[in-house]
C-alpha cells in the first residue's frame, strides 16, 4: 500500500534512455507535442526553450543536472540530447517559483496525472 501511495505522489519521466522522478506537487502542467526552440551554442543537455506564460522556459533532458557536460578530452559539449522532439514537456515549479521544463517521451506514476494536461 505504501508503494502505491509513493507511485501516486511521484512522476517518472523517460527520455533518451534516461529516467528522472519528480514530485507531483511540483508538476504544473504537461504539454503534449510542444514546439521546442533550439538554442545555438547552448549546452547539449538543454533540449531548447518553449514559449509559455509570456516568456521562455528552458527544457532539459531527464537524468542529467542542468550544467553543461563536457568531454574530458576535447573540452566540447557531449551530444546528450536526441535530435527528435520529445512527446511532451513537463513543466516543473522550482523552489524559487520559476518554471523549468523536462523533456519526456513517456511519463508514469502520479495518480492525478490526467488533471494536469494542457
Amino acid at each position: 500500500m505504501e508503494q502505491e501511495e509513493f507511485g501516486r505522489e511521484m512522476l517518472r519521466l523517460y527520455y533518451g534512455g534516461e529516467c528522472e522522478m519528480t514530485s507531483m506537487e511540483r508538476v504544473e502542467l504537461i504539454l503534449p507535442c510542444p514546439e521546442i526552440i533550439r538554442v545555438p551554442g547552448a549546452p547539449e543537455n538543454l533540449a531548447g526553450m518553449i514559449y509559455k506564460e509570456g516568456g521562455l522556459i528552458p527544457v532539459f533532458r531527464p537524468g542529467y543536472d542542468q550544467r553543461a557536460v563536457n568531454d574530458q578530452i576535447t573540452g566540447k559539449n557531449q551530444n546528450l540530447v536526441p535530435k527528435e522532439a520529445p512527446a511532451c514537456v513537463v513543466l516543473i515549479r522550482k523552489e524559487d517559483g520559476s518554471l523549468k521544463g523536462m523533456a519526456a517521451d513517456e511519463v508514469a506514476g502520479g495518480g492525478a496525472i490526467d488533471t494536469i494536461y494542457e
Side-chain angles (χ1 to χ4, degrees), residues 9-116:
E9 295 172 4
M10 300 301 289
L11 186 67
R12 291 183 304 281
L13 313 173
Y14 300 94
Y15 182 61
E18 296 294 331
C19 176
E20 185 164 310
M21 293 178 63
T22 190
S23 167
M24 283 297 296
E25 291 178 351
R26 296 181 56 209
V27 174
E28 288 288 317
L29 195 60
I30 297 176
L31 304 169
C33 304
E35 180 181 343
I36 294 186
I37 303 162
R38 296 257 180 217
V39 181
E44 291 285 340
N45 58 338
L46 178 70
M49 306 285 277
I50 59 169
Y51 188 76
K52 184 78 178 154
E53 296 183 3
L56 291 171
I57 300 171
V59 177
F60 297 98
R61 178 179 186 225
Y64 295 88
D65 59 21
Q66 280 72 58
R67 296 180 310 240
V69 177
N70 292 323
D71 184 301
Q72 300 264 333
I73 297 169
T74 66
K76 294 184 179 180
N77 289 335
Q78 296 176 7
N79 186 12
L80 300 177
V81 180
K83 296 302 179 194
E84 57 277 350
C88 68
V89 169
V90 178
L91 295 183
I92 298 170
R93 185 71 60 186
K94 298 189 317 187
E95 289 183 20
D96 66 4
S98 65
L99 288 172
K100 75 173 181 177
M102 296 300 286
D105 285 329
E106 183 181 339
V107 294
I113 196 168
D114 56 79
T115 64
I116 56 174

